[in-house]
Each structure stands twice: as C-alpha cells, then as structure tokens.
Amino acid sequence: MSLSSILPVVQTQMNRYLCPTALALGITGSLLNILLFSQRQYRNNSCCIYLIGASVGMLIAMCFGLVPRIYSTDHPNPLNIINALCKTRTYFGQSGTMLYRWSLTMACIDRCTSASFNVRLRLFASPRIAIRVTIIIAMIWFIVPVHNFIYLNIIDGQCIWYPVASAIYNSMLVVIAGGIIPITTMILSGIIIRKNLRRKRELRRTLKQSTDANARDRIVALRDRQTLFMLFIQIICYIALTLPWIINLIYNAFTFYMTNKTNDRIAIDSFINYTTETLAYIYSTSSFYLYTLASPSFREHLKKVISSIWHFNYPCCGRFNRVAPS
C-alpha cells in the first residue's frame, strides 16, 4: 500500500480517538485553571491574571480547532463546504491561540519584573496592570486576524489562502508573532528570573537574620523555586510542541501551490501539517496538568477548591464525618 492510502487512514483514527480525548482533557483543564486562578488568594497575583487570560484563549482555540476535526471523522469536512465556517474557524482559532501565547509571554515577563531588584519594574507586577494588559492583548488579537475573512475561501473544494502572498503573510505573522517573539521572550525571562533569584539567595545568606525571618525566607525560597520550575517546564513544553508546527507553516507557505507534487508527497505534507497542528493543540490541553505535576502548592489549592465545591453542592456529606455527641 502507498503512503497516499495509509496516512489518511491514520489521520482519520487520530481524529476519532486522539482529538476527542484532547478536547475533553483540555476543556476540563482550562475550566479548572480559570476556577482555581479566580479564587481570592490568586486574584491578587498578577501572574494568575495572565494565566486566566491564557486559559480563556486555550478554550477558544481548542473548541474552534478540534470540534470541526472531530465532526469530519464520519461526515464531510464542513470547512471545505461552508465558506463562512472556513473563515471563522481559522479566525477564532488564530485569535485564541495568539491570546494564550501572548498571555503566557506576559506571565513570564510579569514573573521577571516581580523578581527584579528595580523597584519601578516590580510595580509592573500588579493585578490592575495585568487586567489592563490582558484586555489589550485580547483586543489586538481579535483585530489583527481579520485578514482571515478576506483571503480565506473555498477553492476547488479546499479551504485555502488566495492569493499566494496572503498565505506567506499569514505564515510570517504566525511565525514571528506566535513563535519567535514568545519563545525568545520566555527563554530570556527564565534566564533573568533564575539570575535574580540566585542573587536574592546569596543576599539572604550574607544577612544575619532571626529564626522567624529564616523560616519566612525558606517559605519564599520554596515558592520561588516552584514558580521557576513551573516556568521552565512551560517553556520547554511550549517549544517542543509548538516549534514543529511553526517550521511546517514556513514550509507550507512556500510549497502549497507547487504543481509537481506526487500523490505520496501530498499525503506526507498533509499528514505532517495535521500532526504538527495537533501537537500545538496538545500544549493547550496540557497546561493544567503541567501546573498540577510541577507545583505542590497548586495541587493543595486545587484540592481545597474541589473540596469546598463538593461540600457546597453536597452539604449533607459533611454530617457523616462528624463524631456523634456522647
């Protein structure tokens, strides 16, 4: 059997089993992120404001990106039939993706400024500024992708960019604004945060402090290490799952309209495009689970929130845990 007959079958099975699983886990994780970071103890943390914005963006990207795929498993692909859906799916998918990428980028910058020795820079890490910046990011990335409504159309039964220049422009926009800038900023922020935290540890060691102060410093140091670890895990996963898709976008922009491709080459290109885009969506679905695995304090707060919701919905359950009076 040729690749042109094997790869579409593999892709269909991924649509049937992988995409619904990723969508279910992603929606659950994003909603739990929003629920947890909306709690009072987190609302006062500017970084958590950005994480709420990122979770909203992930929800939008996953719903518009994965639901049409799942539907097309046993039905004709609606993106290649309904022109309005061809445009809106890519528009909202791109808007949601850019929203969560830039929100995560700003979360890294926020942690970088909060760990700074410069007082003015630390003022940037405030909830009020975080709310304003998140709103601005949302406004920008719901305006910039309007070109999707102009240059995306169904041509010869496919939802494609036309003319070729529009495909190149869109790819460069996604590569630069959604890939190079966020990845570079995340890496630089991680390096600066690590450097500042190291300086703070050295400063604490040189100062003579009381036992209470040392205990408080150990708590702060532990929290800083968890934050830094979560940040590094986030950066590594983001690069690993997003970079293949970005590279493939560049390739597609310059080869999509080649007319001398063989059937196997077309099948391989389509499968690579599908797989790399799926990896990018998997990052959206995994953020909550990365936080849960990386941070013990995140897990503790999550348990408290779930416990409070359970007892609120089922108050009678708490009665069975009480000791009957003698």
Side-chain angles (χ1 to χ4, degrees), residues 150-316:
I150 302 173
Y151 299 110
L152 259 180
N153 290 284
I154 297 175
I155 301 176
D156 296 330
Q158 283 188 308
C159 179
I160 61 174
W161 295 94
Y162 189 82
V164 178
S166 64
I168 296 175
Y169 165 77
N170 183 73
S171 297
M172 291 301 100
L173 173 67
V174 174
V175 167
I176 295 173
I180 295 175
I181 295 177
I183 289 174
T184 304
T185 304
M186 288 180 181
I187 294 174
L188 291 176
S189 297
I191 294 172
I192 294 172
I193 291 172
R194 184 174 183 179
K195 180 180 177 181
N196 288 340
L197 292 180
R198 183 182 299 171
R199 287 179 60 189
K200 286 184 176 181
R201 286 197 299 269
E202 293 174 354
L203 182 62
R204 285 194 293 264
R205 290 171 185 170
T206 59
L207 296 176
K208 294 181 180 180
Q209 298 175 321
S210 65
T211 304
D212 291 340
N214 287 331
R216 287 194 300 270
D217 286 341
R218 282 195 295 270
I219 294 174
V220 172
L222 178 61
R223 184 182 60 193
D224 289 342
R225 284 196 297 270
Q226 289 183 10
T227 302
L228 185 62
F229 183 65
M230 288 176 63
L231 182 63
F232 283 160
I233 291 293
Q234 174 181 291
I235 293 172
I236 292 171
C237 292
Y238 181 88
I239 294 174
L241 295 176
T242 305
L243 193 58
W245 180 57
I246 292 172
I247 295 173
N248 186 63
L249 279 177
I250 300 174
Y251 169 80
N252 281 342
F254 292 98
T255 64
F256 188 83
Y257 290 95
M258 290 177 57
T259 57
N260 58 346
K261 292 183 179 181
T262 64
N263 290 336
D264 283 351
R265 173 74 179 277
I266 293 173
I268 292 171
D269 288 352
S270 176
F271 185 75
I272 292 175
N273 182 65
Y274 175 88
T275 305
T276 54
E277 186 176 350
T278 302
L279 287 176
Y281 282 123
I282 287 177
Y283 175 80
S284 302
T285 66
S286 64
S287 65
F288 167 78
Y289 308 99
L290 290 175
Y291 298 148
T292 304
L293 291 173
S295 174
S297 61
F298 186 91
R299 292 195 294 269
E300 289 300 320
H301 284 294
L302 178 63
K303 291 178 183 177
K304 292 178 181 178
V305 171
I306 294 177
S307 177
S308 63
I309 294 174
W310 175 266
H311 287 294
F312 177 78
N313 290 328
Y314 303 98
C316 60

Side-chain angles (χ1 to χ4, degrees), residues 27-41:
I27 291 177
T28 302
S30 295
L31 290 176
L32 286 174
N33 274 342
I34 295 172
L35 177 64
L36 184 62
F37 292 133
S38 299
Q39 300 300 305
R40 181 176 300 176
Q41 61 268 35

Side-chain angles (χ1 to χ4, degrees), residues 81-93:
I81 300 174
I82 306 173
N83 201 44
L85 187 58
C86 163
K87 297 172 181 288
T88 55
R89 186 259 186 181
T90 308
Y91 168 78
F92 282 105

Side-chain angles (χ1 to χ4, degrees), residues 64-187:
F64 281 90
L66 294 178
V67 170
R69 282 188 176 192
I70 297 170
Y71 179 84
S72 67
T73 303
D74 298 309
H75 304 84
N77 191 341
L79 301 180
N80 298 328
I81 300 174
I82 306 173
N83 201 44
L85 187 58
C86 163
K87 297 172 181 288
T88 55
R89 186 259 186 181
T90 308
Y91 168 78
F92 282 105
Q94 193 172 95
S95 297
T97 300
M98 288 298 191
L99 173 58
Y100 85 69
R101 288 176 180 172
W102 277 83
S103 295
L104 291 174
T105 302
M106 291 307 304
C108 294
I109 295 175
D110 178 89
R111 291 300 87 192
C112 183
T113 57
S114 67
S116 174
F117 285 86
N118 189 307
V119 178
R120 292 185 178 180
L121 284 178
R122 288 202 301 270
L123 293 176
F124 178 82
S126 71
R128 180 176 298 179
I129 292 178
I131 293 173
R132 293 177 181 176
V133 172
T134 302
I135 293 174
I136 292 173
I137 290 173
M139 291 175 62
I140 290 174
W141 289 115
F142 277 99
I143 294 174
V144 172
V146 293
H147 62 278
N148 288 274
F149 290 109
I150 302 173
Y151 299 110
L152 259 180
N153 290 284
I154 297 175
I155 301 176
D156 296 330
Q158 283 188 308
C159 179
I160 61 174
W161 295 94
Y162 189 82
V164 178
S166 64
I168 296 175
Y169 165 77
N170 183 73
S171 297
M172 291 301 100
L173 173 67
V174 174
V175 167
I176 295 173
I180 295 175
I181 295 177
I183 289 174
T184 304
T185 304
M186 288 180 181
I187 294 174

